[in-house]
Amino acid sequence: GSLGGGGAMLAPGGASLTPGKVWTRQVRPTRCYFRVQAAFEAPAAASASSASASSAAPASCAVEPAVFEAAVASSLQAAFGVSGAAQNSWSLVSFDSGQGQAVLRARPEALAKLRMALTLVTRCGGRRCRLDVTAVAPNLAALACSRVTEEPWLAEEGGAGEGWEDPVTEI
């Protein structure tokens, strides 16, 4: 239909638009993006020497992108089998080994299964770790937007990535 210029506006299917009627079209994204933070357990010698310190810095991530990708693929295969893992296509968009942050791309249908598989990862590169999903967005622009990805509990002292003990709220 025409969107201005004096012509009659038409709705999908050729029906004329009535004043006051709002037409919307929802678009479902074809891909979803995850921001994932890897938190590694501190080595035993370092944690024993800093046992008196209440807030130890998170262990650095010295893992190659291929090793990280293999850990996620192995977790998917362990959870859903070879056939189930193959049905959940995903890819590693970027990986910052210094910060332990990754951006993954997946189809919306695979969102729940991939997220579950990420929580099942316990080892990466021979070291104990956990993977925290810090943001999920329908596109990279939304993933980069600070208002979508700001989680106040990640910025608090003792929050995710600081260690293995997460703060517990007693009810």
Side-chain angles (χ1 to χ4, degrees):
S2 171
L3 293 178
M9 294 196 317
L10 299 177
S16 65
L17 293 175
T18 57
K21 180 76 173 174
V22 177
W23 291 90
T24 63
R25 174 176 277 173
Q26 293 185 1
V27 178
R28 182 179 172 152
T30 58
R31 299 280 188 258
C32 290
Y33 294 86
F34 295 82
R35 177 175 292 124
V36 178
Q37 175 70 48
F40 287 88
E41 183 178 39
S47 63
S49 65
S50 65
S52 61
S54 61
S55 63
S60 66
C61 173
V63 176
E64 295 294 319
V67 173
F68 178 84
E69 199 169 0
V72 174
S74 174
S75 178
L76 261 172
Q77 188 172 348
F80 302 107
V82 175
S83 178
Q87 291 174 358
N88 296 307
S89 64
W90 64 279
S91 63
L92 181 66
V93 176
S94 69
F95 183 72
D96 180 7
S97 61
Q99 295 293 318
Q101 287 188 350
V103 175
L104 306 176
R105 177 179 56 217
R107 294 182 132 322
E109 305 85 50
L111 184 120
K113 289 183 179 180
L114 181 59
R115 193 164 186 164
M116 188 198 87
L118 290 171
T119 63
L120 295 177
V121 173
T122 58
R123 292 202 171 273
C124 188
R127 296 171 50 200
R128 287 192 58 196
C129 73
R130 73 169 189 259
L131 299 182
D132 299 322
V133 177
T134 58
V136 178
N139 53 48
L140 285 172
L143 193 65
C145 181
S146 64
R147 63 188 168 91
V148 172
T149 59
E150 267 183 13
E151 282 92 6
W153 60 86
L154 292 177
E156 295 174 353
E157 278 189 42
E162 291 289 327
W164 288 96
E165 291 80 11
D166 288 332
V168 176
T169 305
E170 301 209 339
I171 300 173

